[in-house]
Amino acid sequence: MQRPIKIGVLCPYSSIYPNLSSDFTDGLLSALPSDYQRQIELIPEYVSQGGSVATKSAFNKLTSFHRVDLITGFTGYRVVPDFITSLEGRNVIGLFADMGELIPDEMNMSDNLFFNSLQFWQAEYAFGHWAKKQFDGKGLIFLSLYEAGYHMHNAFQEGYFMAVGSEIDVYTIPLNRAERPVMLEYFADFIETFRKEKPAFIHPLFSGHEAVDFIGLYYEQGLHKDVPIVLSPHMGSDEVLAVVSGVNTNAYSASIWSKEEENEENKRFKQAVINQTGLATNTPTLLGYEIGLALKGVFRQLLQRDLSEVKKILKEQRIQTPRGERTFYLDSNYATPNITIEKVMLQDSSYKRLAIDEGRSLSYDHHVFSRMRKLNVSGWLNTYLCI
């Protein structure tokens, strides 16, 4: 009897996506025929919030004890270099997912490494470029210390400047993940400051309940009457907007994927997930599904343990997914996402989206992104939203 394909899954904790890892594996399995599913063994390993020590411990267990053929799940680009040598030495393939909070430091880190990123940084770049063209005057970025450790606001700034914006203000909450009452006080104080300054727009970057609270206070304190709000991709996501209530105003956001899209790949994805789990789709499910499609294309080679051929195919693979064409190897041909600029109409406890423009993405190796990597060098290691 042929040994099953052993796939290790890095499973970080997320208070924002409590079912992050199970949603991811549901998506992965949804992309595979039932006879393929019977020939794989998924081995989950908890990695806390995705930091270096916990991830490396899980990685060593998966490679040394379980002797997996491939490792997937969520991890960050700042953690991956810690186990490249071991990946290559044991000839294990890494095919990882991330939200796109960071731009990788370099291309071609290893022939054994592949990535499926939601590419928030691309959406932020496109959104900054659009916002400058849309609104006259100086804009304003408002973010938490947590978000400041990633590249998303840098990408927004670069897009803004590429649209010939001359300057933009940046305000940062000085505490990292402060207690909720403390954050509410900060929000209220800053909103009063913004009311006096009247920027052309506010681009907030917050996560979890902070995102919900800021949108609520922005409306309650009447700032929506004077200053437009352009939400980060996470703040404009279904997961956040579904929790917002009592707000009646318009906002803007940049979307890379929506479950409501009517393209054939999205319809196929939603039906596959329903057939597999009976549940609705979300972002972690999508990222898992796309990785499942990639594995489907190399399944025969994985069964044969022909990892050289697996790597060769994954380097060249271009697949159609619910959010357009995807590739998984970091080089100059890394596929750029389709970005939709949306008007979000918030009405009490509901919301509607209206596509109003297409965002501008750039090739992964563009000099703008190289400059951004040098602008923001922080010690943040955990995967975005794993808090």
Side-chain angles (χ1 to χ4, degrees):
M1 183 177 177
Q2 194 165 30
R3 181 168 75 88
I5 300 168
K6 289 190 173 185
I7 301 176
V9 185
L10 302 179
C11 301
Y13 165 78
S14 172
S15 62
I16 297 166
Y17 286 102
N19 301 315
L20 176 75
S21 296
S22 59
D23 287 344
F24 173 82
T25 53
D26 284 345
L28 189 156
L29 292 172
S30 298
L32 299 174
S34 56
D35 58 325
Y36 281 17
Q37 293 184 29
R38 289 190 289 268
Q39 298 178 79
I40 65 173
E41 179 183 357
L42 295 179
I43 305 171
E45 280 293 332
Y46 179 62
V47 294
S48 187
Q49 293 176 315
S52 180
V53 174
T55 303
K56 194 167 185 178
S57 174
F59 174 83
N60 288 336
K61 185 176 179 181
L62 288 169
T63 55
S64 301
F65 181 74
H66 293 291
R67 299 179 65 187
V68 298
D69 302 296
L70 181 144
I71 300 179
T72 188
F74 286 87
T75 192
Y77 296 124
R78 289 174 177 159
V79 174
V80 166
D82 290 347
F83 44 81
I84 286 178
T85 301
S86 185
L87 266 181
E88 294 175 342
R90 295 180 179 276
N91 201 22
V92 174
I93 291 173
L95 177 49
F96 300 113
D98 67 90
M99 294 292 184
E101 66 274 18
L102 291 169
I103 302 172
D105 288 337
E106 56 183 296
M107 292 189 292
N108 308 330
M109 285 189 267
S110 167
D111 286 346
N112 289 57
L113 272 178
F114 302 87
F115 298 95
N116 186 31
S117 176
L118 195 62
Q119 294 181 286
F120 272 174
W121 45 273
Q122 283 275 19
E124 286 283 348
Y125 173 86
F127 206 19
H129 193 273
W130 176 87
K132 178 55 191 173
K133 297 285 189 182
Q134 182 71 22
F135 303 107
D136 292 330
K138 182 170 65 172
L140 184 150
I141 296 172
F142 183 42
L143 72 166
S144 71
L145 192 61
Y146 172 68
E147 265 80 11
Y150 299 109
H151 288 140
M152 295 174 290
H153 68 291
N154 301 113
F156 187 92
Q157 285 175 291
E158 289 296 331
Y160 182 88
F161 294 139
M162 286 287 280
V164 201
S166 58
E167 57 181 338
I168 187 169
D169 287 330
V170 180
Y171 287 80
T172 306
I173 297 285
L175 296 178
N176 184 32
R177 306 300 297 177
E179 294 294 324
R180 197 166 192 170
V182 176
M183 287 299 291
L184 287 171
E185 288 183 17
Y186 272 116
F187 284 162
D189 290 343
F190 274 107
I191 285 173
E192 284 305 311
T193 299
F194 302 154
R195 191 195 314 280
K196 295 173 185 175
E197 295 187 356
K198 287 187 171 54
F201 63 84
I202 293 176
H203 178 52
L205 294 98
F206 296 97
S207 49
H209 66 76
E210 294 177 356
V212 176
D213 289 345
F214 182 77
I215 294 172
L217 279 177
Y218 165 81
Y219 175 73
E220 290 171 19
Q221 295 190 213
L223 191 59
H224 67 289
K225 299 174 183 177
D226 301 312
V227 183
I229 189 170
V230 294
L231 302 170
S232 70
H234 170 62
M235 290 183 70
S237 68
D238 292 329
E239 289 76 13
V240 171
L241 296 181
V243 186
V244 173
S245 63
V247 174
N248 293 278
T249 191
N250 294 329
Y252 300 91
S253 190
S255 172
I256 294 174
W257 167 77
S258 168
K259 65 178 69 175
E260 306 305 325
E261 290 179 22
E262 288 298 315
N263 65 69
E264 289 303 314
E265 291 296 337
N266 205 37
K267 292 178 183 177
R268 191 175 296 118
F269 165 52
K270 290 191 288 187
Q271 189 59 53
V273 173
I274 289 174
N275 293 344
Q276 178 71 30
T277 69
L279 302 174
T281 57
N282 61 17
T283 299
T285 314
L286 171 69
L287 292 171
Y289 178 79
E290 290 173 335
I291 285 178
L293 291 177
L295 296 180
K296 184 179 177 181
V298 295
F299 203 85
R300 179 176 59 83
Q301 291 79 7
L302 277 171
L303 272 177
Q304 297 170 348
R305 272 50 182 194
D306 187 354
L307 297 188
S308 294
E309 188 64 18
V310 170
K311 288 184 282 187
K312 179 182 177 182
I313 294 172
L314 286 176
K315 282 184 180 180
E316 300 171 354
Q317 194 178 51
R318 307 184 81 86
I319 61 173
Q320 291 299 319
T321 82
R323 58 184 174 120
E325 186 179 68
R326 300 301 312 132
T327 58
F328 303 97
Y329 189 61
L330 292 179
D331 61 13
S332 58
N333 293 316
Y334 195 56
T336 59
N338 300 321
I339 300 166
T340 303
I341 307 298
E342 298 176 331
K343 183 177 183 179
V344 182
M345 293 156 283
L346 296 157
Q347 299 172 323
D348 294 321
S349 297
S350 65
Y351 61 94
K352 295 180 181 178
R353 302 178 186 274
L354 176 66
I356 58 174
D357 207 346
E358 292 183 2
R360 175 190 183 190
S361 59
L362 294 177
S363 63
Y364 165 70
D365 60 342
H366 195 281
H367 69 86
V368 165
F369 297 130
S370 176
R371 183 166 64 244
M372 282 166 41
R373 287 191 289 266
K374 297 173 183 176
L375 283 173
N376 186 337
V377 181
S378 80
W380 269 214
L381 297 177
N382 60 308
T383 307
Y384 186 52
L385 304 181
C386 290
I387 47 178

PDB file of all heavy atoms in Angstrom, residues 65-95:
ATOM      1  N   PHE A  65      10.110  14.324  13.356  1.00  0.00           N
ATOM      2  CA  PHE A  65       9.300  13.270  13.961  1.00  0.00           C
ATOM      3  C   PHE A  65       8.274  12.713  12.973  1.00  0.00           C
ATOM      4  O   PHE A  65       8.178  11.498  12.773  1.00  0.00           O
ATOM      5  CB  PHE A  65       8.609  13.804  15.211  1.00  0.00           C
ATOM      6  CG  PHE A  65       7.766  12.789  15.919  1.00  0.00           C
ATOM      7  CD1 PHE A  65       8.359  11.765  16.660  1.00  0.00           C
ATOM      8  CD2 PHE A  65       6.382  12.835  15.853  1.00  0.00           C
ATOM      9  CE1 PHE A  65       7.589  10.808  17.308  1.00  0.00           C
ATOM     10  CE2 PHE A  65       5.595  11.896  16.499  1.00  0.00           C
ATOM     11  CZ  PHE A  65       6.208  10.874  17.230  1.00  0.00           C
ATOM     12  N   HIS A  66       7.508  13.597  12.352  1.00  0.00           N
ATOM     13  CA  HIS A  66       6.459  13.141  11.430  1.00  0.00           C
ATOM     14  C   HIS A  66       6.993  12.883  10.021  1.00  0.00           C
ATOM     15  O   HIS A  66       6.335  12.205   9.235  1.00  0.00           O
ATOM     16  CB  HIS A  66       5.339  14.178  11.363  1.00  0.00           C
ATOM     17  CG  HIS A  66       4.568  14.317  12.637  1.00  0.00           C
ATOM     18  ND1 HIS A  66       3.735  13.329  13.121  1.00  0.00           N
ATOM     19  CD2 HIS A  66       4.511  15.332  13.539  1.00  0.00           C
ATOM     20  CE1 HIS A  66       3.189  13.729  14.257  1.00  0.00           C
ATOM     21  NE2 HIS A  66       3.634  14.940  14.532  1.00  0.00           N
ATOM     22  N   ARG A  67       8.136  13.443   9.697  1.00  0.00           N
ATOM     23  CA  ARG A  67       8.776  13.252   8.389  1.00  0.00           C
ATOM     24  C   ARG A  67       7.803  13.587   7.255  1.00  0.00           C
ATOM     25  O   ARG A  67       7.552  12.784   6.358  1.00  0.00           O
ATOM     26  CB  ARG A  67       9.312  11.836   8.269  1.00  0.00           C
ATOM     27  CG  ARG A  67      10.364  11.493   9.318  1.00  0.00           C
ATOM     28  CD  ARG A  67      10.847  10.078   9.191  1.00  0.00           C
ATOM     29  NE  ARG A  67      11.551   9.872   7.942  1.00  0.00           N
ATOM     30  CZ  ARG A  67      11.963   8.663   7.513  1.00  0.00           C
ATOM     31  NH1 ARG A  67      11.713   7.589   8.229  1.00  0.00           N
ATOM     32  NH2 ARG A  67      12.600   8.567   6.371  1.00  0.00           N
ATOM     33  N   VAL A  68       7.300  14.805   7.293  1.00  0.00           N
ATOM     34  CA  VAL A  68       6.332  15.236   6.290  1.00  0.00           C
ATOM     35  C   VAL A  68       7.005  15.472   4.943  1.00  0.00           C
ATOM     36  O   VAL A  68       8.226  15.692   4.860  1.00  0.00           O
ATOM     37  CB  VAL A  68       5.601  16.522   6.742  1.00  0.00           C
ATOM     38  CG1 VAL A  68       4.808  16.281   8.011  1.00  0.00           C
ATOM     39  CG2 VAL A  68       6.584  17.670   6.925  1.00  0.00           C
ATOM     40  N   ASP A  69       6.202  15.459   3.904  1.00  0.00           N
ATOM     41  CA  ASP A  69       6.692  15.734   2.548  1.00  0.00           C
ATOM     42  C   ASP A  69       6.589  17.224   2.217  1.00  0.00           C
ATOM     43  O   ASP A  69       7.354  17.742   1.403  1.00  0.00           O
ATOM     44  CB  ASP A  69       5.873  14.940   1.522  1.00  0.00           C
ATOM     45  CG  ASP A  69       5.915  13.452   1.791  1.00  0.00           C
ATOM     46  OD1 ASP A  69       7.009  12.873   1.704  1.00  0.00           O
ATOM     47  OD2 ASP A  69       4.850  12.878   2.119  1.00  0.00           O
ATOM     48  N   LEU A  70       5.625  17.888   2.865  1.00  0.00           N
ATOM     49  CA  LEU A  70       5.339  19.285   2.548  1.00  0.00           C
ATOM     50  C   LEU A  70       4.777  19.957   3.799  1.00  0.00           C
ATOM     51  O   LEU A  70       4.083  19.321   4.594  1.00  0.00           O
ATOM     52  CB  LEU A  70       4.345  19.356   1.395  1.00  0.00           C
ATOM     53  CG  LEU A  70       3.909  20.714   0.852  1.00  0.00           C
ATOM     54  CD1 LEU A  70       3.719  20.635  -0.666  1.00  0.00           C
ATOM     55  CD2 LEU A  70       2.594  21.178   1.484  1.00  0.00           C
ATOM     56  N   ILE A  71       5.097  21.233   3.971  1.00  0.00           N
ATOM     57  CA  ILE A  71       4.545  22.012   5.077  1.00  0.00           C
ATOM     58  C   ILE A  71       3.792  23.201   4.500  1.00  0.00           C
ATOM     59  O   ILE A  71       4.276  23.885   3.588  1.00  0.00           O
ATOM     60  CB  ILE A  71       5.644  22.511   6.033  1.00  0.00           C
ATOM     61  CG1 ILE A  71       6.411  21.328   6.632  1.00  0.00           C
ATOM     62  CG2 ILE A  71       5.036  23.342   7.162  1.00  0.00           C
ATOM     63  CD1 ILE A  71       7.534  21.737   7.564  1.00  0.00           C
ATOM     64  N   THR A  72       2.612  23.444   5.047  1.00  0.00           N
ATOM     65  CA  THR A  72       1.803  24.573   4.611  1.00  0.00           C
ATOM     66  C   THR A  72       1.238  25.273   5.846  1.00  0.00           C
ATOM     67  O   THR A  72       1.690  25.059   6.959  1.00  0.00           O
ATOM     68  CB  THR A  72       0.692  24.111   3.634  1.00  0.00           C
ATOM     69  OG1 THR A  72       0.043  25.243   3.078  1.00  0.00           O
ATOM     70  CG2 THR A  72      -0.327  23.223   4.313  1.00  0.00           C
ATOM     71  N   GLY A  73       0.236  26.128   5.640  1.00  0.00           N
ATOM     72  CA  GLY A  73      -0.328  26.896   6.738  1.00  0.00           C
ATOM     73  C   GLY A  73       0.148  28.341   6.693  1.00  0.00           C
ATOM     74  O   GLY A  73       0.792  28.771   5.737  1.00  0.00           O
ATOM     75  N   PHE A  74      -0.159  29.083   7.751  1.00  0.00           N
ATOM     76  CA  PHE A  74       0.159  30.504   7.806  1.00  0.00           C
ATOM     77  C   PHE A  74       1.485  30.751   8.514  1.00  0.00           C
ATOM     78  O   PHE A  74       1.709  30.252   9.616  1.00  0.00           O
ATOM     79  CB  PHE A  74      -0.948  31.276   8.531  1.00  0.00           C
ATOM     80  CG  PHE A  74      -2.195  31.433   7.727  1.00  0.00           C
ATOM     81  CD1 PHE A  74      -3.185  30.456   7.753  1.00  0.00           C
ATOM     82  CD2 PHE A  74      -2.386  32.549   6.924  1.00  0.00           C
ATOM     83  CE1 PHE A  74      -4.344  30.600   7.005  1.00  0.00           C
ATOM     84  CE2 PHE A  74      -3.531  32.706   6.175  1.00  0.00           C
ATOM     85  CZ  PHE A  74      -4.517  31.720   6.215  1.00  0.00           C
ATOM     86  N   THR A  75       2.333  31.541   7.879  1.00  0.00           N
ATOM     87  CA  THR A  75       3.559  31.986   8.520  1.00  0.00           C
ATOM     88  C   THR A  75       4.003  33.289   7.856  1.00  0.00           C
ATOM     89  O   THR A  75       3.452  33.697   6.840  1.00  0.00           O
ATOM     90  CB  THR A  75       4.668  30.931   8.441  1.00  0.00           C
ATOM     91  OG1 THR A  75       5.743  31.290   9.318  1.00  0.00           O
ATOM     92  CG2 THR A  75       5.216  30.777   7.022  1.00  0.00           C
ATOM     93  N   GLY A  76       5.000  33.948   8.454  1.00  0.00           N
ATOM     94  CA  GLY A  76       5.445  35.236   7.951  1.00  0.00           C
ATOM     95  C   GLY A  76       6.814  35.171   7.299  1.00  0.00           C
ATOM     96  O   GLY A  76       7.623  34.297   7.601  1.00  0.00           O
ATOM     97  N   TYR A  77       7.072  36.136   6.420  1.00  0.00           N
ATOM     98  CA  TYR A  77       8.333  36.155   5.681  1.00  0.00           C
ATOM     99  C   TYR A  77       9.535  36.382   6.592  1.00  0.00           C
ATOM    100  O   TYR A  77      10.662  36.054   6.228  1.00  0.00           O
ATOM    101  CB  TYR A  77       8.297  37.249   4.613  1.00  0.00           C
ATOM    102  CG  TYR A  77       7.253  37.022   3.540  1.00  0.00           C
ATOM    103  CD1 TYR A  77       6.282  37.985   3.272  1.00  0.00           C
ATOM    104  CD2 TYR A  77       7.236  35.853   2.790  1.00  0.00           C
ATOM    105  CE1 TYR A  77       5.327  37.787   2.288  1.00  0.00           C
ATOM    106  CE2 TYR A  77       6.285  35.647   1.810  1.00  0.00           C
ATOM    107  CZ  TYR A  77       5.333  36.619   1.559  1.00  0.00           C
ATOM    108  OH  TYR A  77       4.389  36.412   0.589  1.00  0.00           O
ATOM    109  N   ARG A  78       9.313  36.979   7.764  1.00  0.00           N
ATOM    110  CA  ARG A  78      10.433  37.223   8.666  1.00  0.00           C
ATOM    111  C   ARG A  78      10.792  35.994   9.493  1.00  0.00           C
ATOM    112  O   ARG A  78      11.819  35.974  10.162  1.00  0.00           O
ATOM    113  CB  ARG A  78      10.111  38.408   9.580  1.00  0.00           C
ATOM    114  CG  ARG A  78      10.120  39.745   8.849  1.00  0.00           C
ATOM    115  CD  ARG A  78       9.663  40.887   9.720  1.00  0.00           C
ATOM    116  NE  ARG A  78       9.757  42.168   9.026  1.00  0.00           N
ATOM    117  CZ  ARG A  78       9.080  43.261   9.365  1.00  0.00           C
ATOM    118  NH1 ARG A  78       8.265  43.222  10.405  1.00  0.00           N
ATOM    119  NH2 ARG A  78       9.220  44.380   8.692  1.00  0.00           N
ATOM    120  N   VAL A  79       9.930  34.982   9.469  1.00  0.00           N
ATOM    121  CA  VAL A  79      10.187  33.749  10.209  1.00  0.00           C
ATOM    122  C   VAL A  79      10.766  32.668   9.301  1.00  0.00           C
ATOM    123  O   VAL A  79      11.631  31.887   9.715  1.00  0.00           O
ATOM    124  CB  VAL A  79       8.877  33.250  10.859  1.00  0.00           C
ATOM    125  CG1 VAL A  79       9.076  31.885  11.523  1.00  0.00           C
ATOM    126  CG2 VAL A  79       8.392  34.255  11.899  1.00  0.00           C
ATOM    127  N   VAL A  80      10.327  32.635   8.063  1.00  0.00           N
ATOM    128  CA  VAL A  80      10.709  31.581   7.115  1.00  0.00           C
ATOM    129  C   VAL A  80      12.223  31.383   6.983  1.00  0.00           C
ATOM    130  O   VAL A  80      12.693  30.234   6.941  1.00  0.00           O
ATOM    131  CB  VAL A  80      10.083  31.865   5.732  1.00  0.00           C
ATOM    132  CG1 VAL A  80      10.719  31.008   4.652  1.00  0.00           C
ATOM    133  CG2 VAL A  80       8.583  31.610   5.782  1.00  0.00           C
ATOM    134  N   PRO A  81      13.046  32.447   6.916  1.00  0.00           N
ATOM    135  CA  PRO A  81      14.489  32.221   6.751  1.00  0.00           C
ATOM    136  C   PRO A  81      15.117  31.348   7.841  1.00  0.00           C
ATOM    137  O   PRO A  81      16.157  30.721   7.603  1.00  0.00           O
ATOM    138  CB  PRO A  81      15.072  33.649   6.792  1.00  0.00           C
ATOM    139  CG  PRO A  81      13.961  34.507   6.277  1.00  0.00           C
ATOM    140  CD  PRO A  81      12.713  33.889   6.836  1.00  0.00           C
ATOM    141  N   ASP A  82      14.480  31.258   9.014  1.00  0.00           N
ATOM    142  CA  ASP A  82      15.030  30.463  10.106  1.00  0.00           C
ATOM    143  C   ASP A  82      15.090  28.976   9.780  1.00  0.00           C
ATOM    144  O   ASP A  82      15.890  28.244  10.374  1.00  0.00           O
ATOM    145  CB  ASP A  82      14.198  30.651  11.385  1.00  0.00           C
ATOM    146  CG  ASP A  82      14.359  32.031  11.993  1.00  0.00           C
ATOM    147  OD1 ASP A  82      15.292  32.744  11.577  1.00  0.00           O
ATOM    148  OD2 ASP A  82      13.559  32.389  12.883  1.00  0.00           O
ATOM    149  N   PHE A  83      14.234  28.507   8.877  1.00  0.00           N
ATOM    150  CA  PHE A  83      14.275  27.069   8.600  1.00  0.00           C
ATOM    151  C   PHE A  83      14.488  26.722   7.129  1.00  0.00           C
ATOM    152  O   PHE A  83      14.173  25.621   6.689  1.00  0.00           O
ATOM    153  CB  PHE A  83      13.016  26.361   9.140  1.00  0.00           C
ATOM    154  CG  PHE A  83      11.706  27.036   8.899  1.00  0.00           C
ATOM    155  CD1 PHE A  83      11.064  26.926   7.683  1.00  0.00           C
ATOM    156  CD2 PHE A  83      11.090  27.745   9.907  1.00  0.00           C
ATOM    157  CE1 PHE A  83       9.835  27.507   7.475  1.00  0.00           C
ATOM    158  CE2 PHE A  83       9.848  28.340   9.710  1.00  0.00           C
ATOM    159  CZ  PHE A  83       9.215  28.225   8.499  1.00  0.00           C
ATOM    160  N   ILE A  84      15.056  27.633   6.365  1.00  0.00           N
ATOM    161  CA  ILE A  84      15.377  27.319   4.972  1.00  0.00           C
ATOM    162  C   ILE A  84      16.408  26.200   4.880  1.00  0.00           C
ATOM    163  O   ILE A  84      16.269  25.255   4.092  1.00  0.00           O
ATOM    164  CB  ILE A  84      15.879  28.581   4.237  1.00  0.00           C
ATOM    165  CG1 ILE A  84      14.706  29.521   3.945  1.00  0.00           C
ATOM    166  CG2 ILE A  84      16.572  28.198   2.922  1.00  0.00           C
ATOM    167  CD1 ILE A  84      15.101  30.818   3.269  1.00  0.00           C
ATOM    168  N   THR A  85      17.451  26.282   5.688  1.00  0.00           N
ATOM    169  CA  THR A  85      18.519  25.279   5.636  1.00  0.00           C
ATOM    170  C   THR A  85      17.972  23.887   5.916  1.00  0.00           C
ATOM    171  O   THR A  85      18.314  22.912   5.231  1.00  0.00           O
ATOM    172  CB  THR A  85      19.629  25.615   6.650  1.00  0.00           C
ATOM    173  OG1 THR A  85      20.161  26.905   6.340  1.00  0.00           O
ATOM    174  CG2 THR A  85      20.734  24.580   6.597  1.00  0.00           C
ATOM    175  N   SER A  86      17.090  23.797   6.907  1.00  0.00           N
ATOM    176  CA  SER A  86      16.503  22.500   7.242  1.00  0.00           C
ATOM    177  C   SER A  86      15.564  22.005   6.147  1.00  0.00           C
ATOM    178  O   SER A  86      15.537  20.810   5.824  1.00  0.00           O
ATOM    179  CB  SER A  86      15.762  22.602   8.577  1.00  0.00           C
ATOM    180  OG  SER A  86      15.291  21.350   8.980  1.00  0.00           O
ATOM    181  N   LEU A  87      14.786  22.924   5.556  1.00  0.00           N
ATOM    182  CA  LEU A  87      13.905  22.551   4.440  1.00  0.00           C
ATOM    183  C   LEU A  87      14.710  21.917   3.315  1.00  0.00           C
ATOM    184  O   LEU A  87      14.355  20.863   2.779  1.00  0.00           O
ATOM    185  CB  LEU A  87      13.176  23.784   3.910  1.00  0.00           C
ATOM    186  CG  LEU A  87      11.782  24.160   4.409  1.00  0.00           C
ATOM    187  CD1 LEU A  87      11.306  25.409   3.686  1.00  0.00           C
ATOM    188  CD2 LEU A  87      10.784  23.035   4.208  1.00  0.00           C
ATOM    189  N   GLU A  88      15.775  22.589   2.952  1.00  0.00           N
ATOM    190  CA  GLU A  88      16.585  22.117   1.833  1.00  0.00           C
ATOM    191  C   GLU A  88      17.328  20.836   2.194  1.00  0.00           C
ATOM    192  O   GLU A  88      17.444  19.916   1.367  1.00  0.00           O
ATOM    193  CB  GLU A  88      17.561  23.217   1.412  1.00  0.00           C
ATOM    194  CG  GLU A  88      16.866  24.438   0.832  1.00  0.00           C
ATOM    195  CD  GLU A  88      17.813  25.582   0.525  1.00  0.00           C
ATOM    196  OE1 GLU A  88      18.941  25.576   1.069  1.00  0.00           O
ATOM    197  OE2 GLU A  88      17.436  26.472  -0.255  1.00  0.00           O
ATOM    198  N   GLY A  89      17.830  20.764   3.437  1.00  0.00           N
ATOM    199  CA  GLY A  89      18.576  19.580   3.856  1.00  0.00           C
ATOM    200  C   GLY A  89      17.719  18.326   3.878  1.00  0.00           C
ATOM    201  O   GLY A  89      18.192  17.230   3.553  1.00  0.00           O
ATOM    202  N   ARG A  90      16.453  18.479   4.278  1.00  0.00           N
ATOM    203  CA  ARG A  90      15.542  17.329   4.342  1.00  0.00           C
ATOM    204  C   ARG A  90      14.706  17.190   3.066  1.00  0.00           C
ATOM    205  O   ARG A  90      13.870  16.279   2.970  1.00  0.00           O
ATOM    206  CB  ARG A  90      14.622  17.466   5.558  1.00  0.00           C
ATOM    207  CG  ARG A  90      15.370  17.392   6.879  1.00  0.00           C
ATOM    208  CD  ARG A  90      14.416  17.540   8.053  1.00  0.00           C
ATOM    209  NE  ARG A  90      15.119  17.447   9.314  1.00  0.00           N
ATOM    210  CZ  ARG A  90      15.437  16.313   9.935  1.00  0.00           C
ATOM    211  NH1 ARG A  90      15.106  15.161   9.375  1.00  0.00           N
ATOM    212  NH2 ARG A  90      16.076  16.326  11.088  1.00  0.00           N
ATOM    213  N   ASN A  91      14.898  18.106   2.131  1.00  0.00           N
ATOM    214  CA  ASN A  91      14.160  18.129   0.868  1.00  0.00           C
ATOM    215  C   ASN A  91      12.647  18.119   1.103  1.00  0.00           C
ATOM    216  O   ASN A  91      11.895  17.329   0.537  1.00  0.00           O
ATOM    217  CB  ASN A  91      14.557  16.965  -0.039  1.00  0.00           C
ATOM    218  CG  ASN A  91      14.219  17.256  -1.490  1.00  0.00           C
ATOM    219  OD1 ASN A  91      14.069  18.418  -1.893  1.00  0.00           O
ATOM    220  ND2 ASN A  91      14.087  16.209  -2.290  1.00  0.00           N
ATOM    221  N   VAL A  92      12.227  19.024   1.970  1.00  0.00           N
ATOM    222  CA  VAL A  92      10.805  19.233   2.250  1.00  0.00           C
ATOM    223  C   VAL A  92      10.368  20.519   1.548  1.00  0.00           C
ATOM    224  O   VAL A  92      11.119  21.499   1.501  1.00  0.00           O
ATOM    225  CB  VAL A  92      10.553  19.350   3.764  1.00  0.00           C
ATOM    226  CG1 VAL A  92       9.101  19.719   4.055  1.00  0.00           C
ATOM    227  CG2 VAL A  92      10.916  18.040   4.455  1.00  0.00           C
ATOM    228  N   ILE A  93       9.175  20.516   1.004  1.00  0.00           N
ATOM    229  CA  ILE A  93       8.662  21.693   0.307  1.00  0.00           C
ATOM    230  C   ILE A  93       7.806  22.520   1.261  1.00  0.00           C
ATOM    231  O   ILE A  93       6.997  21.984   2.026  1.00  0.00           O
ATOM    232  CB  ILE A  93       7.845  21.268  -0.922  1.00  0.00           C
ATOM    233  CG1 ILE A  93       8.781  20.680  -1.978  1.00  0.00           C
ATOM    234  CG2 ILE A  93       7.066  22.457  -1.510  1.00  0.00           C
ATOM    235  CD1 ILE A  93       8.085  20.064  -3.160  1.00  0.00           C
ATOM    236  N   GLY A  94       7.992  23.819   1.236  1.00  0.00           N
ATOM    237  CA  GLY A  94       7.147  24.739   1.995  1.00  0.00           C
ATOM    238  C   GLY A  94       6.250  25.515   1.041  1.00  0.00           C
ATOM    239  O   GLY A  94       6.743  26.125   0.086  1.00  0.00           O
ATOM    240  N   LEU A  95       4.943  25.468   1.271  1.00  0.00           N
ATOM    241  CA  LEU A  95       3.969  26.203   0.456  1.00  0.00           C
ATOM    242  C   LEU A  95       3.045  26.938   1.428  1.00  0.00           C
ATOM    243  O   LEU A  95       2.079  26.371   1.940  1.00  0.00           O
ATOM    244  CB  LEU A  95       3.187  25.244  -0.442  1.00  0.00           C
ATOM    245  CG  LEU A  95       2.062  25.821  -1.314  1.00  0.00           C
ATOM    246  CD1 LEU A  95       2.515  27.041  -2.092  1.00  0.00           C
ATOM    247  CD2 LEU A  95       1.522  24.754  -2.260  1.00  0.00           C
TER     248      LEU A  95
END
